[in-house]
Amino acid sequence: METRVIVVGAGPVGLMLAGELGLGGAEVTVYDRLPAPSGESRALGFTKRVAEIFDQRGLLARLGEFRRGRSGHFGGVGFDLSMLDESHHGVLGLPQSRTEQMLTDWLGELGVTVRRGHEAVAFTETADGVELVLDGPDGRHRDTAAYLVGCDGPDSTIRTLAGIPAPGWESTRGMYMADVKGIEPRQRPTGEHVPGGSMVLCVDLGDGYHRVLIHDRSLPPHPDTATLTFTDVADAWQRMTGESIHHGSARWMAAFGNGAGLATTYRRGRVLLAGDAAHATPPLAGWGLSTGIQDAANLGWKLAAVATGRAPETLLDTYHAERHPLGEQLLRNTHAATALYLSDEEMDPLRAVLRELMEDKNAAEHFAGMVSGLGVRYDTCAGDHPLLGRRLSPDHALDLPDGNRARVAQLLRPGRGVLIVTEDPDGTDGPRHRAAAWSDRVDIVTGTWAPADAPGGPARPPAAVLVRPDGYVAWAGPGSAGLTAALESWFGPARVTAGV
């Protein structure tokens, strides 16, 4: 039986998904229509949760130096991150091209093939696989796999061929974005309103470049990047700000509309969607990329387990069930934040109310959790422990029996489930014994929770906790009640018969 997976699209989401699949033991091939990486800066960072996802695979340090955001905001309305118990600071000023190169290097180490210059044009689904038709440098050819995943952007060919609608809202206005060298404009890192319902943003990228973003009500709703010139960008900037940047030069420019759409389903049979192919939004603080990376982290280990026969196909149903509601939230938040950003003075009273509301710690934490991704909670299984369905902080550390100390992020590096047990008083009926039959898929780690490095922060985890490969809690003690059901739900039937 075919066990391979084909991923279409070699952007950050497709690359991350392919890495997760490869780490999970699946054979995977990535196809992309471009003959080489674009090298474009595009999204300039990602949220705190994505930083944690990279950290738990050992990838964050590979990005080299980067900076963390110093403040938080929703639609330009700021909130004080310093009042929160946990850091919600995301990564800023990091060109998307660096993230893509880091992921490409990782795939090379995993032996995952990326084939560029191959455009998907059709596919046929059978009872046990998918046959994909591609146009490549040597002409038309076919490839087969057990599953096909479209990570091919907002105009996804795979989504269209699968007949999956993506309703949302049509574009009503355009925007320009460019990385410009040789200018010294005034910084506007969270955006600045322009009377009449427009907005401009400017961020210093280092190396002499500035990112400028122009939301201008007078721009057409469907601007064309192919015909965009730097004069167009400079004229719009001067019209909005009174500043001339005509003497500069751009290494990259793009034009966007403000339309959005959400696929009605993230899975149809053996075809799945992730990233912009599943949820297309206008560029706003890197939310789309960050949501897509989280899609990949959620889907990758599940699809690898199903493709290699370790888990039943029903596990894939949890991908849509868990991620589609967050796609709905993404579109809602994008709509709300854009309204705050791009409305004229009539919205000032609402902005004032939000600023006052965000002085409350609980409200600030709610908004910060949405923006950072730390507020995500999945409906994992029955139980009432407050950690269920939430990510286990990768910074929690365990003192191991051999005297070493390991962070949760380090325990997740292999891409397997992890059962952490700090107390096992029930002997043969304890968590370690219950989980032994899944030791081919779940690492059983014993030790003692280390003291927190700093006061405050999240409470110490429970005595026993089952963590999925994506870092989310599937079961928590005390005792062993419900552990077997959780293991069967997320990791398939027991296979190992030897004792601990």
Side-chain angles (χ1 to χ4, degrees):
M1 184 180 72
E2 182 66 76
T3 60
R4 293 178 62 244
V5 178
I6 292 175
V7 175
V8 175
V13 176
L15 296 173
M16 182 68 193
L17 176 62
E20 290 291 291
L21 288 164
L23 195 64
E27 183 184 354
V28 56
T29 300
V30 182
Y31 289 103
D32 194 272
R33 63 180 180 82
L34 295 179
S38 70
E40 296 172 348
S41 52
R42 291 191 173 270
L44 291 177
F46 38 80
T47 63
K48 175 63 183 298
R49 181 58 191 145
V50 170
E52 292 183 344
I53 288 171
F54 287 155
D55 183 25
Q56 68 193 25
R57 295 296 183 258
L59 301 174
L60 189 63
R62 299 185 182 203
L63 289 169
E65 293 186 3
F66 54 79
R67 60 187 176 88
R68 299 276 186 173
R70 294 189 296 269
S71 59
H73 72 93
F74 184 89
V77 179
F79 45 83
D80 182 8
L81 292 177
S82 67
M83 75 169 77
L84 306 180
D85 293 331
E86 274 194 278
S87 168
H88 287 66
H89 299 283
V91 171
L92 297 180
L94 185 75
Q96 181 173 313
S97 56
R98 277 178 58 188
T99 303
E100 290 182 1
Q101 185 59 57
M102 175 273 289
L103 291 170
T104 300
D105 293 343
W106 182 44
L107 294 192
E109 296 168 11
L110 292 172
V112 174
T113 301
V114 179
R115 303 189 66 188
R116 299 186 181 274
H118 296 262
E119 183 172 8
V121 295
F123 72 79
T124 302
E125 184 175 351
T126 65
D128 59 357
V130 179
E131 182 179 72
L132 180 67
V133 182
L134 304 108
D135 283 338
D138 299 321
R140 181 156 293 187
H141 63 102
R142 300 170 185 272
D143 197 0
T144 60
Y147 294 93
L148 171 66
V149 188
C151 301
D152 49 342
D155 299 318
S156 171
T157 297
I158 301 303
R159 186 187 67 231
T160 301
L161 292 172
I164 300 175
W169 62 85
E170 290 295 322
S171 182
T172 59
R173 66 195 317 186
M175 64 191 80
Y176 295 157
M177 184 184 294
D179 290 350
V180 186
K181 188 175 184 178
I183 62 174
E184 290 295 334
R186 179 166 58 83
Q187 298 299 289
R188 301 162 174 90
T190 60
E192 180 176 275
H193 294 285
V194 177
S198 296
M199 187 269 283
V200 292
L201 178 147
C202 180
V203 179
D204 187 351
L205 301 180
D207 297 329
Y209 281 93
H210 290 79
R211 163 67 58 86
V212 297
L213 176 66
I214 303 161
H215 291 265
D216 183 352
R217 278 197 170 186
S218 68
L219 296 180
H222 300 284
D224 184 4
T225 295
T227 61
L228 181 65
T229 68
F230 182 63
T231 299
D232 295 330
V233 174
D235 286 350
W237 183 264
Q238 188 166 25
R239 186 168 61 249
M240 294 289 98
T241 68
E243 301 171 353
S244 175
I245 59 172
H246 289 83
H247 56 285
S249 59
R251 64 180 175 187
W252 173 76
M253 300 181 297
F256 305 91
N258 67 338
L262 176 66
T264 54
T265 181
Y266 284 11
R267 179 193 177 201
R268 179 160 290 175
R270 293 182 174 272
V271 180
L272 301 104
L273 304 173
D276 288 348
H279 40 75
T281 61
L284 186 68
W287 289 358
L289 179 145
S290 294
T291 305
I293 294 293
Q294 292 175 78
D295 291 343
N298 184 286
L299 174 61
W301 67 275
K302 297 174 181 177
L303 185 52
V306 173
T308 57
R310 301 193 307 271
E313 191 173 333
T314 52
L315 181 62
L316 293 181
D317 294 334
T318 68
Y319 170 59
H320 172 88
E322 293 183 342
R323 295 304 301 171
H324 194 266
L326 293 166
E328 294 175 329
Q329 184 186 82
L330 172 66
L331 261 67
R332 183 201 69 188
N333 289 353
T334 299
H335 212 168
T338 301
L340 288 167
Y341 257 140
L342 304 181
S343 299
D344 54 24
E345 293 76 10
E346 69 181 12
M347 194 70 77
D348 284 346
L350 177 58
R351 296 186 185 104
V353 169
L354 277 177
R355 289 190 189 96
E356 183 176 322
L357 177 65
M358 289 187 187
E359 292 177 1
D360 178 81
K361 180 180 177 180
N362 291 330
E365 191 163 38
H366 176 74
F367 277 93
M370 289 195 302
V371 172
S372 68
L374 300 192
V376 170
R377 183 172 191 176
Y378 298 135
D379 184 12
T380 54
C381 58
D384 57 4
H385 195 282
L387 266 181
L388 279 174
R390 296 193 181 278
R391 112 283 188 220
L392 185 62
S393 172
D395 290 326
H396 283 306
L398 200 69
D399 286 331
L400 304 175
D402 62 5
N404 291 317
R405 177 172 291 184
R407 295 169 57 240
V408 168
Q410 295 170 295
L411 300 178
L412 290 168
R413 295 281 158 83
R416 292 160 53 90
V418 180
L419 175 67
I420 300 172
V421 181
T422 59
E423 298 176 12
D424 201 6
D426 299 325
T428 58
D429 196 39
R432 291 176 62 241
H433 183 82
R434 291 281 187 94
W438 284 266
S439 60
D440 59 327
R441 285 153 285 170
V442 176
D443 293 328
I444 303 172
V445 182
T446 61
T448 303
W449 289 117
D453 292 333
R460 182 175 295 191
V465 58
L466 176 65
V467 187
R468 306 187 325 187
D470 58 356
Y472 287 85
V473 175
W475 172 87
S480 300
L483 175 57
T484 299
L487 287 163
E488 290 175 341
S489 293
W490 297 108
F491 300 100
R495 297 281 178 85
V496 179
T497 57
V500 177

